[in-house]
Amino acid sequence: MIKILPRQDIKFVLGFKGEEVLENSSGMMNVVEFKNVGLRYGNGPEVLEDITFSLAPGSFYFLTGESGAGKSSLINLMSLSLCPTKGNLKVFGTDVISKNRKKFPEIRRNIGVVFQEFRLLDHLSARENVALPLRVLGIKEVEIKRHVRELLNWVGLSDHIDAKPPTLAGGQKQRVAIARALINRPKLLLADEPTGNVDDKMAMRQLRLFVELNKIGTTVVIATHNEKLIERLGYPRLHLADRHLHLLPAARPIMTGREPI
Amino acid sequence: MSKKYKPRKLPFAYDTSSLFLPWIMMLMVFLATLSLAGALAVQNMTAKWSSSMTGSLTVQVLPPKEFAGADMTERAKSATMVEVNKAADFLKDVDGVKQVKIVPLADLQELLKPWLGEAIMDEGFPLPRLIDVTVDDGDNVDLNKLKEELVKVAPNASLDVHRVWLAKLMNLTTTLNLTALGILGLVLLTTSFAVIYATVTSLAVHRPAIELLHLIGARDGYIASLFAQRTMTFSFGGAIIGAVISVPIVIVTAFLAKSLEVGMIADGWLGGWDWFYVLVVPFIAALVSGITAYVTVAFKLRRTL
């Protein structure tokens, strides 16, 4: 049974330029900081209300909640696709407000997002889709070619490098989307149902990749309904219910990701 | 075996909204090239006429009135020449006059022969005598005063100031020139509007790709430069075709103008630099369309997250 815990204690300190920043217990700047954040679309009702939490560097969370609970909205806020309509949100120490949009590209380059609907460009091959973040960074074509091939091999798509998304199955598209999110080794990885279209074996394989990334310091948030995987990996979860966020502890001791499937 | 990898740098799919751009550009470059060639030709002719005529005056000396209507006898000829010499001597002493030259009778006859026929060669044909006067700068000579004083010295002499008719001609050519440049400006403006329209439509079509590029960290400038690159490629294709059609027309017109052997037109056609300006039109058109697309995209993206 899941026990709902009180919201995480947050210590406020003054950051540079007098800005109020959230600091975690290790003294490092938090990757994401929500303070009383609310979100509504247009004049509709609030879909998220009074959300307060922070993500320390190197943390790993599952994001759970029923369909329509606001998981994708929360991920969109963290990926700077949306600005909160209320409260204060900071990502890598920068306020997510439209006034700061010039700073967003730099922040986004440190965030990898796996979208629920993949958002692959249909006229580009798997290789070209995965290469996009590196092209934006201006990396040399030789480097891009090497990295993209390695990663596509790893996600098991070495035979589909030149295939275009419309010719790929759902699970293959998902793997291309994951490869694109990971290609520039993000500091924050946000994945919206990344295992929704693959079997348990492939899901575990993909999650292992996320675990490996987490071990080298990437903060990971995975929105999922897959209770089996959550229990297996045992990381704490951020649970959305009634427009509010609740922090739930790890279900069991955390797996290294190397256990047999 | 996988096919050879060719990096595709443009993350935008082909869309029909940009399909009309090469056609518009072809038409616009065609019109722009003809307008520019016309404007340059008129400008050249005007400059040539202006430089060759503003510094010159012509004095016409008619035979004395008692010989009017009659054939030129030796007496009439010498009486006319007396006045011609008086007028020439007077003009030589006027401040600002650089050169005074009495036009020989034979030259006059040659000039008029095409219009008046062989009769002009008759010794008795009554012809006025002309004096070519070159002045340093027409503006420094008081022509009204010069006219009055000339008549006192030589009563049958009259001063023909080219500037009067030249000014009228210049007004005409300046109007033609401005009209051609106006057409060129309108062509540029229309091209820019067409590019803006195509870009805005294209932005709407490619919105998902643009959102994705933003989310993976692309700056507005990066996206705008992708659009500019794409627009320039489309535009340049059309522009080159427009130039290929219009340049031969300019060349043929230039050839026909030269073959007229009418100095005023043939002399003023296109020179070396003018051909450079005409040939550079498609490149400028593609560049302007690229810059317009860049500015449009950058302006539109300001309002997105």
Side-chain angles (χ1 to χ4, degrees):
Chain A
M1 192 181 145
I2 295 165
K3 186 184 164 195
I4 296 178
L5 291 181
R7 288 186 193 120
Q8 202 176 22
D9 281 341
I10 296 161
K11 186 176 135 198
F12 290 92
V13 293
L14 277 180
F16 70 97
K17 292 184 182 173
E19 283 184 341
E20 198 176 42
V21 296
L22 295 167
E23 196 180 66
N24 56 41
S25 54
S26 65
M28 291 168 79
M29 187 180 68
N30 285 319
V31 174
V32 174
E33 297 162 357
F34 281 68
K35 189 186 161 195
N36 308 118
V37 167
L39 177 73
R40 65 171 78 230
Y41 293 99
N43 294 322
E46 275 201 321
V47 290
L48 295 173
E49 200 179 314
D50 201 22
I51 306 285
T52 300
F53 76 99
S54 61
L55 299 179
S59 54
F60 194 125
Y61 289 92
F62 284 111
L63 177 60
T64 57
E66 290 180 358
S67 287
K71 297 190 296 292
S72 296
S73 295
L74 195 70
I75 283 184
N76 284 340
L77 282 169
M78 288 189 272
S79 64
L80 283 71
S81 300
L82 293 172
C83 282
T85 43
K86 215 169 75 182
N88 183 283
L89 166 60
K90 287 185 179 184
V91 177
F92 293 112
T94 300
D95 281 313
V96 180
I97 46 173
S98 55
K99 198 176 76 178
N100 279 342
R101 72 176 292 276
K102 281 194 175 172
K103 296 178 185 171
F104 288 3
E106 211 55 55
I107 299 167
R108 284 166 171 156
R109 288 173 187 189
N110 290 305
I111 304 173
V113 189
V114 183
F115 301 98
Q116 193 171 14
E117 68 283 19
F118 318 132
R119 292 205 190 181
L120 299 175
L121 299 181
D122 284 349
H123 68 288
L124 299 183
S125 66
R127 183 198 324 240
E128 287 161 341
N129 267 291
V130 176
L132 273 179
L134 298 182
R135 292 239 164 84
V136 166
L137 290 174
I139 307 288
K140 285 179 185 168
E141 284 298 326
V142 183
E143 294 281 307
I144 291 176
K145 194 177 170 183
R146 191 167 58 83
H147 288 302
V148 170
R149 184 176 280 278
E150 273 174 20
L151 198 52
L152 281 172
N153 280 347
W154 205 94
V155 295
L157 287 174
S158 52
D159 293 337
H160 297 84
I161 276 178
D162 293 311
K164 293 189 175 166
T167 65
L168 296 172
Q172 291 171 323
K173 286 183 195 174
Q174 201 159 39
R175 281 182 273 160
V176 175
I178 289 170
R180 186 183 61 195
L182 301 183
I183 191 75
N184 57 355
R185 294 189 182 173
K187 288 180 185 161
L188 170 63
L189 178 73
L190 305 166
D192 199 353
E193 297 286 356
T195 55
N197 289 283
V198 291
D199 56 32
D200 282 354
K201 191 177 171 188
M202 181 48 78
M204 201 59 203
R205 187 178 157 90
Q206 285 174 8
L207 285 175
R208 270 187 189 163
L209 182 62
F210 297 158
V211 169
E212 290 302 319
L213 264 171
N214 178 246
K215 279 182 186 166
I216 56 168
T218 299
T219 305
V220 180
V221 178
I222 297 172
T224 184
H225 285 109
N226 193 330
E227 289 289 340
K228 209 158 47 174
L229 285 174
I230 296 170
E231 281 185 23
R232 198 154 192 179
L233 285 177
Y235 287 104
R237 58 166 96 177
L238 301 162
H239 184 73
L240 275 167
D242 301 326
R243 303 188 299 277
H244 288 86
L245 188 80
H246 310 278
L247 177 68
L248 308 180
R252 48 175 274 182
I254 294 167
M255 285 172 72
T256 60
R258 293 191 188 283
E259 290 81 355
I261 298 160
Chain B
M1 202 178 107
S2 75
K3 61 187 174 186
K4 197 180 173 192
Y5 173 54
K6 284 183 194 165
R8 186 206 294 259
K9 296 201 175 171
L10 293 177
F12 306 118
Y14 179 77
D15 72 275
T16 49
S17 65
S18 306
L19 199 65
F20 75 99
L21 207 54
W23 291 98
I24 288 275
M25 202 51 75
M26 182 187 82
L27 185 67
M28 291 304 161
V29 165
F30 175 79
L31 293 174
T33 306
L34 294 185
S35 306
L36 182 68
L40 289 170
V42 169
Q43 204 170 36
N44 286 348
M45 282 189 259
T46 311
K48 194 113 184 167
W49 301 340
S50 176
S51 67
S52 61
M53 291 186 184
T54 47
S56 69
L57 309 168
T58 304
V59 174
Q60 179 182 247
V61 183
L62 293 171
K65 280 177 186 149
E66 56 266 34
F67 303 109
D71 279 356
M72 289 291 275
T73 59
E74 281 306 317
R75 209 156 62 82
K77 278 184 193 170
S78 57
T80 308
M81 276 314 290
V82 169
E83 273 207 38
V84 169
N85 289 330
K86 274 185 190 171
D89 291 343
F90 163 75
L91 289 165
K92 278 175 193 164
D93 295 335
V94 174
D95 281 345
V97 171
K98 207 168 147 187
Q99 196 186 25
V100 176
K101 187 194 164 198
I102 298 167
V103 180
L105 186 62
D107 289 0
L108 266 178
Q109 286 170 329
E110 280 301 319
L111 271 174
L112 293 170
K113 199 172 150 186
W115 283 274
L116 300 176
E118 283 298 326
I120 199 86
M121 305 309 279
D122 183 10
E123 286 290 312
F125 197 92
L127 274 179
R129 297 302 302 271
L130 300 179
I131 305 169
D132 267 349
V133 183
T134 310
V135 288
D136 273 342
D137 183 347
D139 292 337
N140 290 340
V141 182
D142 184 344
L143 295 173
N144 289 330
K145 197 176 161 197
L146 187 65
K147 260 184 187 176
E148 283 171 21
E149 289 181 1
L150 182 67
V151 174
K152 283 180 197 163
V153 179
N156 296 306
S158 63
L159 187 64
D160 181 10
V161 184
H162 301 302
R163 267 188 290 169
V164 178
W165 73 268
L166 184 65
K168 287 177 186 169
L169 194 65
M170 295 278 270
N171 282 342
L172 175 69
T173 53
T174 306
T175 309
L176 285 173
N177 203 12
L178 288 176
T179 307
L181 289 176
I183 293 171
L184 193 65
L186 275 175
V187 164
L188 268 178
L189 201 67
T190 312
T191 309
S192 297
F193 279 129
V195 171
I196 290 170
Y197 175 77
T199 307
V200 169
T201 313
S202 203
L203 272 175
V205 172
H206 298 296
R207 199 174 151 195
I210 291 166
E211 280 178 1
L212 178 74
L213 285 171
H214 265 152
L215 284 174
I216 59 176
R219 295 182 194 284
D220 292 351
Y222 177 82
I223 299 170
S225 65
L226 289 177
F227 266 91
Q229 186 187 336
R230 186 169 177 270
T231 305
M232 269 172 77
T233 311
F234 279 135
S235 302
F236 189 64
I240 283 291
I241 297 171
V244 164
I245 299 170
S246 57
V247 168
I249 295 176
V250 177
I251 292 171
V252 169
T253 313
F255 177 76
L256 291 175
K258 269 213 180 296
S259 68
L260 276 177
E261 291 181 359
V262 177
M264 284 167 76
I265 295 173
D267 290 349
W269 203 252
L270 302 182
W273 275 105
D274 299 331
W275 284 111
F276 171 76
Y277 297 141
V278 167
L279 292 173
V280 97
V281 167
F283 298 93
I284 299 283
L287 192 67
V288 166
S289 67
I291 292 169
T292 308
Y294 185 95
V295 172
T296 308
V297 174
F299 182 77
K300 283 278 175 190
L301 292 183
R302 277 187 327 151
R303 294 174 192 172
T304 60
L305 257 191

